[in-house]
Amino acid sequence: MSETMTLEDLAPLKGDAAEATPERVYEKKVDAQGRAYATGKRKDAVARVWVKQGPGKITVNGKDHVAYFARPVLRMILKQPLVTAQREGQFDIVCTVSGGGLSGQAGAVRHGISKALTRFEPELRGVLKKAGFLTRDARTVERKKYGKAKARKSFQFSKR
């Protein structure tokens, strides 16, 4: 066997490695009514989201999203995936959200909309993934420990 190897000697090995990891193909997942479904989560909030083609009406827990999320910042968070994917006014979105506060609920709905959009239009996955909307924000409230006032806060110390 020769002591020096050339690139031609390694070519068959390189070809096998490339074939072992095929490109992942995402397909459209829609129910009988033409809706894509996804679950979004943030802090303690869980949002169930249905996306279908329509004039762009967003409903949260039976109310219009403007009435449910009164603060403009929360409405902006809600619409981020649609703005990023350039799909404003093309989809009707129906959400039911529970748990947590309004901020966590807005984040959960954003996560759910992003996932549902990728199920409706798989080619949007790259854009939404790059913006970070498909990643579940795992930060939650730290639990309270025994012997402490809160998670880390101690009771007032008295020397005497």
Side-chain angles (χ1 to χ4, degrees), residues 5-155:
M5 296 190 98
T6 61
L7 288 174
E8 290 81 29
D9 297 333
L10 297 174
L13 296 174
K14 192 173 183 181
D16 292 341
E19 292 170 20
T21 56
E23 190 67 29
R24 195 159 176 194
V25 179
Y26 294 95
E27 56 193 47
K28 188 173 178 175
K29 293 179 185 155
V30 182
D31 65 6
Q33 285 90 18
R35 302 175 303 181
Y37 169 78
T39 306
K41 294 182 180 182
R42 171 80 172 97
K43 294 187 177 180
D44 277 340
V46 180
R48 299 184 304 156
V49 180
W50 290 269
V51 171
K52 66 176 181 177
Q53 285 195 308
K57 189 175 181 203
I58 302 174
T59 309
V60 182
N61 286 354
K63 294 181 182 177
D64 187 50
H65 76 286
V66 178
Y68 193 85
F69 294 112
R71 294 202 316 242
V73 174
L74 299 179
R75 292 198 298 266
M76 184 260 305
I77 288 172
L78 204 73
K79 292 183 178 180
Q80 279 178 334
L82 297 167
V83 172
T84 306
Q86 298 173 348
R87 297 291 188 272
E88 292 174 280
Q90 296 181 22
F91 292 104
D92 279 348
I93 299 168
V94 178
C95 315
T96 58
V97 63
S98 63
L102 284 177
S103 176
Q105 287 185 351
V109 171
R110 179 181 81 172
H111 185 224
I113 290 172
S114 304
K115 284 172 65 176
L117 277 176
T118 56
R119 294 201 176 134
F120 198 90
E121 281 188 63
E123 51 280 4
L124 293 177
R125 182 176 168 79
V127 177
L128 294 172
K129 181 100 173 139
K130 198 169 201 171
F133 299 144
L134 295 177
T135 307
R136 195 261 200 241
D137 192 348
R139 295 176 296 168
T140 58
V141 178
E142 192 175 341
R143 79 171 190 88
K144 184 193 175 302
K145 306 336 180 273
Y146 60 89
K148 296 281 186 178
K150 291 169 38 178
R152 297 186 180 194
K153 183 182 179 187
S154 299
F155 295 110

